Amino acid sequence: MSHSSEQPLERVTIPALQQWKDKGRRVVMTTAYDAVTARIADPIVDIILVGDSVGNVCLGFDNTLPVSVAMMNHHLEAVARTRPHALLVADMPFLSFHVGSEDTIRNAGGFLQRGADAVKLEGGAKRMEMVRALVDCDIPVMGHLGLTPQSVNVMGGFKVQGRTTDTALRLLDDAHRLQEAGCFALVLEGIPAELAARATESLTIPTIGIGAGPDCSGQVLVFHDVLGLTEGHRPKFVRAYTDGFQLFQEALSRWAADIRKGAFPGSEECYRLPDQLRHAVANWVPSSSTSR
């Protein structure tokens, strides 16, 4: 019996992330919404986020607000079945942590029961009660400040945050409150680079930036954005490393052309009858009962 010579990757843990922060090792995080994307990303990244961004990336919504706990469970379970080595974080969707501590704990605990290692939730001072309730139940929490997509209506769109004295200082205060409440890391999204740098240097926990400049402890981008799988306008902070949308369309176009000209499937893509059956099949004629 043959055995693979490759050793399984060591699981990424929350203490490991803190050690990396202390040593200056940058953290890499991306999203996955199904088993295929998880398997592609897992050998490369440190954190996989099953994000509520599945709503606008995969499900056709304009924003993340319509995403439900049931939807998140469905996509989380698909990713968790791959048993990733990366730390698996699940987003708490809109209304899953807003009503009360009991519902928040039940929803987050359900994510852990389905394979998540931690949850992420948006917001600062208003969410401290929920963060503490989760941490008290030994549910690890990643915070999220700055441009918080679930607040798109309050913000008047997807706009850069922290550009006034009040909002910048409030973000720094909220970052430290979340750290004190027990968050093991913070996502900083859509804020000036200098503000993210100040938050990162003043916190002991890691920060993960997205549109927050280069000085965070790590960076996150949506899987589909990195691979250029999304059409139309891309945010300023997105760098696509290939034009996946065009590459996939070109491949499908070649396949469709082969079908239309009779070149697919070829002999190498066909199954064959055993020799002893070919003669019987070739000489078969319908009986009177089957020909009616």
Side-chain angles (χ1 to χ4, degrees), residues 66-148:
V67 176
S68 66
V69 171
M71 292 175 185
M72 289 299 302
N73 284 338
H74 176 80
H75 291 276
L76 170 61
E77 288 170 358
V79 173
R81 289 185 194 110
T82 69
R83 293 183 170 86
H85 97 287
L87 190 79
L88 183 55
V89 180
D91 251 336
M92 298 285 289
F94 184 61
L95 291 183
S96 69
F97 60 98
H98 300 71
V99 178
S101 297
E102 185 175 340
D103 284 344
T104 300
I105 293 166
R106 183 181 297 109
N107 291 327
F111 288 163
L112 264 63
Q113 290 174 327
R114 288 169 172 83
D117 299 308
V119 300
K120 180 174 77 64
L121 58 79
E122 298 180 8
K126 293 185 289 186
R127 307 300 171 213
M128 294 301 163
E129 178 185 350
M130 306 308 177
V131 172
R132 291 192 181 97
L134 293 176
V135 171
D136 284 346
C137 290
D138 295 326
I139 298 174
V141 179
M142 176 182 284
H144 186 157
L145 294 174
L147 196 171
T148 47

Side-chain angles (χ1 to χ4, degrees), residues 12-59:
V12 176
T13 64
I14 290 170
L17 295 179
Q18 186 61 55
Q19 292 170 8
W20 296 347
K21 152 82 173 181
D22 297 339
K23 295 177 180 178
R25 180 195 186 283
R26 299 289 177 89
V27 177
V28 181
M29 174 170 156
T30 193
T31 58
Y33 313 113
D34 56 34
V36 173
T37 51
R39 289 191 179 105
I40 293 171
D42 186 52
I44 301 164
V45 304
D46 306 309
I47 303 174
I48 289 176
L49 172 68
V50 183
D52 61 355
S53 50
V54 67
N56 44 298
V57 174
C58 298
L59 302 181

Side-chain angles (χ1 to χ4, degrees), residues 13 16 24 58 85 123 179 199 205 219 224 243 248 270 275 286:
T13 64
C58 298
H85 97 287
Q179 177 175 269
I205 61 175
Q219 298 290 329
H224 296 64
D243 190 349
F248 284 11
C270 294
D275 291 341

Side-chain angles (χ1 to χ4, degrees), residues 120-193:
K120 180 174 77 64
L121 58 79
E122 298 180 8
K126 293 185 289 186
R127 307 300 171 213
M128 294 301 163
E129 178 185 350
M130 306 308 177
V131 172
R132 291 192 181 97
L134 293 176
V135 171
D136 284 346
C137 290
D138 295 326
I139 298 174
V141 179
M142 176 182 284
H144 186 157
L145 294 174
L147 196 171
T148 47
Q150 292 174 17
S151 305
V152 60
N153 291 328
V154 175
M155 293 177 177
F158 298 103
K159 299 178 179 180
V160 176
Q161 303 297 301
R163 281 181 156 169
T164 67
T165 301
D166 287 345
T167 57
L169 296 182
R170 187 183 309 124
L171 184 142
L172 293 173
D173 285 341
D174 281 349
H176 280 265
R177 288 175 181 172
L178 287 170
Q179 177 175 269
E180 291 165 8
C183 285
F184 69 88
L186 292 181
V187 169
L188 301 176
E189 179 172 0
I191 63 173

